[in-house]
Amino acid sequence: MNINNKIKRNIILVILIIPLLISIIFTVIGVNRPIQTDEDNQITFMTYNIHFGMGMDDKLNLERLAQNMLLGDPDIIGLQEVENGRFTSQGVDMALWLATRLEMYYRYYPAVNDAAFGVALLSRYPIIETNTYDLMSIQLERVLLHCKLQINSSFNLDVFTTHLGLNNENQTQQVQEILEITDLVSGPKILMGDFNMNNTDPNINITLYSRFNDTWWEINRPSDEGSFPSYPGAVSGNRIDYIFATNYSTIIDSKIISDMIPSVNAPWEYGSDHLPVVSTLRF
Amino acid sequence: MANGHNDKFLDSFLDLNIKRGSTLFFLSFLLTLFFIEAMRSYIPGIYIQMFHVVFTDEGWTLSLLSLMTMGLFALPLFSKILSDKFGKKEIMYISMVVVSIGRLLISFGLPAIIDTTLSSLIIGFYGIFMACFLGFIIENQFNESIKSKVVGIGFFSFAFISAILIDFTIRTIGFTADFTLINWPIEPWYNYQYLWTMFQIILSAACIILPILIWKDISPSGDLEEKKEIKKSGKNFIALIVGLGLGVFFFLGFNILFYPNAISQFTGSNYFIINIIIIVVITLSCYIFLEIKEKHIGLELLMILNVFLIISLVIFLFIGNLFGNIAMLLVSISFAPLLLDIYILLKLASTKGKRNNKVRMYSNAFSIALGIFLLFSFLYDFTTDWSFIIRAFRGLGIPILLVSSVLLFLSVIITLYLLKNKEAQK
């Protein structure tokens, strides 16, 4: 082999290693988790049905979802319709992606086929305990995710996130199951998610209200602002996403984030067909 | 002089004219990369359009039209007719332009329906490009001293494997739907999606301009007289076997294996580690492919590698969650024989058919491959995520994957048997 070919050969073999090095560098960059403790016990919660990462323009865009979430500056996020590794969602682990992007800890629990329609909890606080529950479901499976978070050295918080079914009989049963589970936990609790019912439904305004406070309603009543669909605009009275709470001190604020990009009113600004609901509480 | 069997592939490639060789490699690598990206986005796009049609909301008629883009997958079948009418060189160039411009348009963030349609155009025209390109390279119409078809097939196979490697790397960096591990300081944030557009403009322009640099080096169309077939030589069977092998390769790759998250989900392993291990294996596969001599790729060795492949897939599919890390390692290592199978299948297709008929062989095989990919992908989807529509399909997802793995194994075994027979006849 002549010298020229030897040099070319070595160059090619060196070039081949570059993709691997780049991949390792970018992998190492992303695997850091800051730990945040909060001494004043003021925490911002968000619930967001992310519709498999698909926005109102039918495009998967996790950065857009992250930007939508950052508008609320949440500390703890409950997500619904989260997917992991499904080829129909381009094989992304959405909970892992969003947690890395937002620099949070996370837990994920799938509802269907180990990869689809799941719920996730993202948290700036360490997650010290996790329990998962399959709820009685017709058609699509529904689940409940329970995480215990270490807010600081003297305060742990139990957070539940769920996504209820569409069938009315099923919803009643699922609410009962959820309350049986949450009743096992004493102390401050948060229950949030997509309940697929507005608050005129007895499952909400009688059953759930008997145990929890609807944080958005406490601040904003009698407004009938909706959380679904996101575009062309939330239908009044169609508030189906909730943040319920017990044993807290005060509700500082609660809102539905409906304007993702000021001066733009187009489908592409919405990362999902739902709007995120945000509540800030002090414990 | 590159004679294939007795030289390492890398040495054979280095014997090519540097301008022509590097241009050909760059073009086949880039166009394959665009094809891979289109395959990754097509089924998700179709899935969303089907969602609108099945649950019948506004605009479902447009969604229904986009489903018909699957018909574009039959485009490669017309490669021979088009190349006879307009010239093989011209058709190959047109297909390169369509693929490049299609990919460029996708990077501009157009509506989802247009993206899906463009993806299907890319896939269909890539089939035409591949058939013509392989036809040229095997028939030595790039004016190279390639004395062996083997070097030509090896050249294209290496470009294909390199494209898979770079696709994994791009996804790790985050320029598609996978990981973005850094926050790009772009304001406003919604312009972030156009970051890749700048690169894509350059890449697409290269694919359109570079062929012109070597245009005169490509033998004019119609240079080779088509000789009358003396007897039927089983070309259809070969196209079927090659198409079957490629089709299930596409199905397994673009549904499970090319997604580290899917492997992670099956095995309960860590995504980051799986992703890096797969990239290591593909890189090593590239090195090994370049450094081995073709004559050392013995049929016995290939048989052993493919037995390892099928065993790894079975362990991964059925007991992956019990032996998580072991299954993860096995399936990652099985990328090596999987990628080598591309070369073997393409090589088989080069052994049959008269001169100037390779285009038809590859175009038929590719169309069959796309048909099988679509069939198995929809079957898999209806047995998993959409199994609530047809209850009887519930739980059949893993058997579908197993059947496809067995079909891949069988097609490769038959290929090896036919190649062995061919060598024995020489």
Side-chain angles (χ1 to χ4, degrees):
Chain A
M1 186 193 309
N2 61 44
I3 302 289
N4 232 3
N5 267 7
K6 262 193 179 167
I7 295 171
K8 286 186 216 170
R9 193 171 183 284
N10 291 334
I11 291 173
I12 289 173
L13 294 177
V14 167
I15 287 173
L16 265 182
I17 202 98
I18 292 175
L20 175 61
L21 290 176
I22 291 173
S23 302
I24 291 173
I25 290 168
F26 276 82
T27 299
V28 166
I29 286 173
V31 191
N32 294 311
R33 292 290 180 272
I35 297 177
Q36 172 180 329
T37 57
D38 200 315
E39 293 301 323
D40 70 359
N41 291 351
Q42 179 171 311
I43 305 169
T44 301
F45 302 88
M46 174 183 281
T47 182
Y48 198 4
N49 179 325
I50 65 169
H51 193 231
F52 329 113
M54 294 286 179
M56 293 305 282
D57 57 355
D58 283 348
K59 291 198 170 188
L60 177 72
N61 190 334
L62 295 177
E63 176 62 25
R64 174 172 56 188
L65 273 172
Q67 292 289 340
N68 288 173
M69 290 179 210
L70 287 170
L71 289 173
D73 193 22
D75 301 304
I76 297 168
I77 309 173
L79 300 174
Q80 303 86 45
E81 293 191 13
V82 184
E83 310 217 306
N84 173 18
R86 281 178 77 210
F87 75 103
T88 44
S89 301
Q90 298 214 31
V92 188
D93 182 338
M94 294 183 184
L96 175 59
W97 194 100
L98 287 165
T100 306
R101 172 66 178 83
L102 299 172
E103 296 177 357
M104 292 185 172
Y105 301 97
Y106 82 102
R107 290 291 184 274
Y108 169 69
Y109 188 50
V112 175
N113 294 316
D114 295 330
F117 228 69
V119 296
L121 192 85
L122 276 54
S123 168
R124 291 207 172 115
Y125 307 97
I127 302 172
I128 55 176
E129 186 183 317
T130 306
N131 298 293
T132 57
Y133 305 91
D134 296 330
L135 304 173
M136 183 67 75
S137 307
I138 295 170
Q139 217 175 39
L140 279 175
E141 288 85 350
R142 304 289 175 166
V143 297
L144 174 73
L145 174 65
H146 166 214
C147 294
K148 190 185 288 285
L149 311 179
Q150 185 178 40
I151 307 300
N152 56 48
S153 55
S154 58
F155 176 37
N156 294 335
L157 178 65
D158 289 277
V159 182
F160 298 83
T161 186
T162 189
H163 183 193
L164 297 197
L166 296 167
N167 173 277
N168 199 252
E169 186 186 322
N170 217 193
Q171 288 166 340
T172 304
Q173 202 165 10
Q174 287 167 353
V175 167
Q176 288 299 338
E177 277 185 70
I178 288 171
L179 290 179
E180 283 169 18
I181 293 164
T182 56
D183 281 348
L184 297 174
V185 172
S186 58
K189 286 180 285 205
I190 301 293
L191 168 64
M192 56 183 172
D194 176 359
F195 287 74
N196 276 316
M197 297 177 271
N198 60 42
N199 73 340
T200 57
D201 192 298
N203 284 312
I204 300 288
N205 68 16
I206 296 176
T207 313
L208 277 164
Y209 279 10
S210 68
R211 302 282 218 290
F212 290 90
N213 292 332
D214 179 351
T215 57
W216 187 89
W217 187 242
E218 294 288 313
I219 296 286
N220 294 288
R221 79 172 93 189
S223 167
D224 67 350
E225 190 180 351
S227 61
F228 175 83
S230 55
Y231 184 87
V235 173
S236 292
N238 216 26
R239 185 169 64 93
I240 59 175
D241 303 278
Y242 299 85
I243 299 174
F244 296 108
T246 65
N247 295 337
Y248 56 89
S249 174
T250 47
I251 302 172
I252 308 295
D253 187 26
S254 186
K255 61 188 174 191
I256 296 172
I257 300 176
S258 56
D259 187 8
M260 303 304 176
I261 303 173
S263 77
V264 171
N265 185 23
W268 60 264
E269 67 177 304
Y270 298 98
S272 168
D273 61 347
H274 285 243
L275 296 171
V277 180
V278 180
S279 295
T280 303
L281 278 64
R282 180 169 287 128
F283 291 85
Chain B
M1 206 68 86
N3 71 354
H5 291 279
N6 293 318
D7 288 336
K8 296 179 183 179
F9 272 120
L10 182 55
D11 294 332
S12 300
F13 299 160
L14 290 173
D15 280 340
L16 305 175
N17 171 279
I18 187 163
K19 175 183 153 190
R20 229 171 0 245
S22 53
T23 303
L24 291 173
F25 177 78
F26 195 62
L27 288 170
S28 48
F29 156 74
L30 267 184
L31 289 162
T32 304
L33 181 63
F34 299 161
F35 163 72
I36 290 170
E37 290 171 344
M39 289 284 270
R40 282 193 188 273
S41 70
Y42 184 72
I43 293 289
I46 283 293
Y47 176 76
I48 286 294
Q49 305 311 328
M50 278 180 67
F51 190 83
H52 289 308
V53 171
V54 169
F55 294 99
T56 316
D57 60 0
E58 280 180 34
W60 67 269
T61 44
L62 273 177
S63 300
L64 192 60
L65 279 173
S66 76
L67 289 179
M68 294 167 73
T69 59
M70 280 188 266
L72 290 170
F73 281 27
L75 268 175
L77 286 171
F78 298 98
S79 305
K80 186 74 174 77
I81 295 170
L82 291 170
S83 57
D84 285 345
K85 189 169 174 60
F86 299 106
K88 193 159 73 182
K89 198 162 77 166
E90 287 75 11
I91 288 300
M92 183 173 74
Y93 184 64
I94 289 170
S95 62
M96 291 158 84
V97 170
V98 171
V99 169
S100 306
I101 292 179
R103 182 62 188 90
L104 177 62
L105 289 173
I106 287 175
S107 73
F108 282 103
L110 300 173
I113 287 180
I114 296 178
D115 271 3
T116 305
T117 306
L118 287 170
S119 294
S120 64
L121 264 176
I122 289 170
I123 293 167
F125 274 90
Y126 176 81
I128 297 176
F129 158 76
M130 191 189 91
C132 294
F133 185 89
L134 283 168
F136 271 119
I137 208 163
I138 289 168
E139 293 161 19
N140 195 19
Q141 287 178 294
F142 282 125
N143 264 338
E144 282 295 342
S145 307
I146 301 177
K147 294 263 183 200
S148 164
K149 289 185 284 195
V150 152
V151 172
I153 298 293
F155 186 84
F156 183 82
S157 301
F158 179 66
F160 200 100
I161 297 169
S162 304
I164 294 174
L165 173 64
I166 297 303
D167 177 68
F168 265 86
T169 307
I170 291 173
R171 286 176 67 88
T172 307
I173 297 170
F175 283 113
T176 54
D178 213 327
F179 255 80
T180 300
L181 297 174
I182 58 178
N183 300 332
W184 299 98
I186 292 173
E187 294 293 337
W189 64 265
Y190 43 86
N191 286 335
Y192 168 76
Q193 64 180 323
Y194 302 115
L195 193 65
W196 183 254
T197 308
M198 297 186 312
F199 295 101
Q200 192 57 51
I201 290 172
I202 299 168
L203 296 177
S204 291
C207 288
I208 294 170
I209 294 167
L210 282 176
I212 297 170
L213 299 179
I214 59 167
W215 191 256
K216 59 180 185 318
D217 293 333
I218 306 172
S219 296
S221 304
D223 207 30
L224 299 171
E225 211 178 287
E226 179 154 359
K227 295 197 172 140
K228 205 169 173 185
E229 293 281 345
I230 297 169
K231 60 173 182 177
K232 295 278 180 198
S233 55
K235 297 194 304 297
N236 288 338
F237 179 69
I238 299 296
L240 182 64
I241 291 298
V242 174
L244 177 66
L246 285 177
V248 286
F249 167 81
F250 290 154
F251 166 67
L252 286 170
F254 291 107
N255 282 270
I256 299 284
L257 298 178
F258 291 169
Y259 296 107
N261 282 318
I263 298 175
S264 165
Q265 172 209 321
F266 266 81
T267 60
S269 310
N270 184 297
Y271 157 81
F272 295 104
I273 295 173
I274 295 169
N275 191 47
I276 292 300
I277 290 177
I278 290 175
I279 293 173
V280 167
V281 170
I282 299 176
T283 305
L284 284 174
S285 302
C286 289
Y287 275 116
I288 293 169
F289 191 82
L290 288 175
E291 292 287 359
I292 57 171
K293 295 183 183 179
E294 214 279 338
K295 66 180 181 182
H296 290 151
I297 309 178
L299 297 175
E300 291 76 18
L301 173 65
L302 287 166
M303 195 80 78
I304 292 168
L305 287 174
N306 278 281
V307 167
F308 169 79
L309 169 64
I310 187 70
I311 291 173
S312 301
L313 287 173
V314 168
I315 290 174
F316 166 69
L317 291 174
F318 283 98
I319 49 177
N321 54 348
L322 290 176
F323 300 102
N325 289 330
I326 295 173
M328 175 267 286
L329 269 172
L330 284 175
V331 82
S332 302
I333 295 170
S334 68
F335 263 75
L338 192 68
L339 297 173
L340 191 58
D341 286 345
I342 301 172
Y343 167 71
I344 297 300
L345 290 165
L346 294 177
K347 184 179 171 185
L348 176 65
S350 73
T351 61
K352 282 289 185 180
K354 294 295 180 184
R355 293 186 80 195
N356 210 29
N357 214 13
K358 299 291 186 243
V359 173
R360 177 173 281 141
M361 173 65 72
Y362 282 110
S363 61
N364 288 353
F366 195 78
S367 289
I368 292 170
L370 291 180
I372 290 181
F373 164 72
L374 277 178
L375 172 68
F376 273 83
S377 295
F378 279 109
L379 271 176
Y380 184 61
D381 199 27
F382 276 99
T383 55
T384 52
D385 304 320
W386 282 27
S387 58
F388 65 89
I389 294 176
I390 306 173
R391 289 261 167 185
F393 281 6
R394 222 167 220 200
L396 295 180
I398 299 291
I400 297 278
L401 291 171
L402 178 65
V403 164
S404 60
S405 305
V406 169
L407 285 174
L408 175 65
F409 179 69
L410 286 175
S411 62
V412 172
I413 295 303
I414 293 172
T415 300
L416 293 174
Y417 172 75
L418 291 170
L419 284 171
K420 189 172 182 179
N421 274 357
K422 178 83 180 170
E423 279 182 20
Q425 283 168 15
K426 279 186 181 169

